[in-house]
Amino acid sequence: MLFIVGLLIVFGSVLYGFVMSHGQLMALWQPFEILIICGAAFGAFVLSNPLHVILECFRMMPQVIMGSRVNKAMYMDVLGLIYDILNKARREGIMAIESDVESPSSSAVFSRYPAIQGNQELSNFIADYFRIIAAGNLTSFELESLMDQEIEARLHELEQPGMAVGKVADALPGFGIVAAVLGIVITMGAIGGEVSEIGGHVAAALVGTFSGVFLAYGMVGPISATMRHLAEDEIKLYEATRACIIASLNGLPPQLAVEFGRKSLFTHGRPSFEEVESKVRGR
């Protein structure tokens, strides 16, 4: 909900300051200027991005408003799932996990963690590497190199919506100038009219410049930054998975392997050693 709080602070401080400076609030209501700026910005956004990036931007908006789905509970689920798979492989043999990693959506192990199971990309990432371990004899170095490549590609994919929205923020001041120039053109056409009419046209043109800059730095730019933070939060789940799996391949028992994953997480959401130990002991 910090998004809504921040938005209220930005709009409230600017508009309240304007009113307290004896400004007329309705003078800022120029719907056609907003149409020019926002319509042109959205058109450029559609023009410059593939469909999957556009759709992903809209899919991320609930997280932008409500907050990231990646939290301590999600971290605990990832570590718990990795522990369960490693523990099962250690007790029953590596082939015992084959049915789980072949179909994560119907796996009894994965079903204990619906948040992970619902994140198809992450569950497939986890399943794929355990499938590789079960099927081949790759060294930990080879597997880590492969995981690094996929994590790098996934990070780029997760960052694309934030980058796309960031470009819109960069373009908005320019579109504000476009709206202002068009307003001046209208003003020139009314140059022989009443002074009040000319003043109204000039004010509308200046509102166009204000709107472009205000939307860029007060709304769209922060949305872009939030999307990038969401990408960083989610990629930590992949990095924790990598750390656990590589530690296990290097001969560490499941309880120590998940500790490697825990240490790779951001401190603001990282579960404590006692919390992870309590969770895995319960298994």
Side-chain angles (χ1 to χ4, degrees):
M1 300 300 289
L2 287 177
F3 174 82
I4 295 175
V5 173
L7 209 60
L8 290 175
I9 293 172
V10 169
F11 276 84
S13 59
V14 171
L15 297 180
Y16 182 73
F18 178 70
V19 171
M20 293 305 293
S21 300
H22 308 291
Q24 297 296 320
L25 201 58
M26 288 307 297
L28 300 179
W29 176 243
Q30 302 293 337
F32 295 111
E33 296 280 327
I34 299 297
L35 175 63
I36 292 170
I37 297 166
C38 294
F42 182 72
F45 169 72
V46 173
L47 189 64
S48 59
N49 293 290
L51 181 60
H52 72 272
V53 173
I54 296 171
L55 295 177
E56 189 61 29
C57 289
F58 287 105
R59 278 195 290 264
M60 289 184 72
M61 284 308 298
Q63 287 191 76
V64 171
I65 297 171
M66 303 303 296
S68 175
R69 63 183 177 182
V70 179
N71 49 30
K72 181 183 282 190
M74 192 81 159
Y75 290 148
M76 291 283 286
D77 281 353
V78 168
L79 297 177
L81 173 60
I82 299 297
Y83 174 82
D84 285 352
I85 296 174
L86 292 175
N87 197 42
K88 184 176 181 179
R90 191 180 190 190
R91 290 184 175 186
E92 304 175 26
I94 192 65
M95 299 310 295
I97 66 171
E98 187 175 9
S99 60
D100 295 304
V101 299
E102 286 295 334
S103 180
S105 59
S106 59
S107 164
V109 176
F110 278 83
S111 64
R112 298 172 190 162
Y113 307 95
I116 306 299
Q117 200 173 36
N119 188 331
Q120 187 175 357
E121 291 80 10
L122 178 60
S123 62
N124 286 340
F125 178 84
I126 295 171
D128 284 348
Y129 285 99
F130 278 109
R131 189 184 297 117
I132 291 172
I133 293 171
N137 58 350
L138 292 180
T139 65
S140 61
F141 176 78
E142 291 170 331
L143 194 66
E144 185 174 18
S145 178
L146 182 60
M147 295 178 88
D148 286 342
Q149 291 180 44
E150 185 169 354
I151 289 173
E152 184 179 353
R154 181 61 179 153
L155 177 60
H156 177 72
E157 188 176 36
L158 290 171
E159 286 180 334
Q160 280 186 321
M163 293 169 61
V165 175
K167 291 177 181 177
V168 174
D170 294 339
L172 275 169
F175 287 123
I177 293 172
V178 169
V181 170
L182 294 177
I184 295 300
V185 171
I186 295 172
T187 302
M188 292 297 100
I191 199 70
E194 296 290 333
V195 174
S196 59
E197 181 182 359
I198 296 172
H201 289 314
V202 172
L206 293 176
V207 168
T209 303
F210 158 77
S211 299
V213 174
F214 179 68
L215 289 173
Y217 297 106
M219 180 181 287
V220 182
I223 289 175
S224 170
T226 301
M227 287 181 169
R228 296 186 185 190
H229 289 309
L230 293 174
E232 292 172 358
D233 287 343
E234 182 147 349
I235 208 64
K236 273 298 169 186
L237 300 174
Y238 294 80
E239 292 176 351
T241 299
R242 176 190 59 192
C244 292
I245 291 176
I246 298 304
S248 176
L249 281 180
N250 286 329
L252 293 179
Q255 278 185 290
L256 284 180
V258 296
E259 180 64 13
F260 274 68
R262 186 185 75 86
K263 285 294 188 181
S264 71
L265 299 172
F266 288 131
T267 55
H268 65 264
R270 180 194 297 168
S272 67
F273 176 83
E274 291 77 13
E275 288 174 318
V276 175
E277 186 177 32
S278 175
K279 187 177 184 69
V280 301
R281 276 185 176 179
R283 292 298 181 195

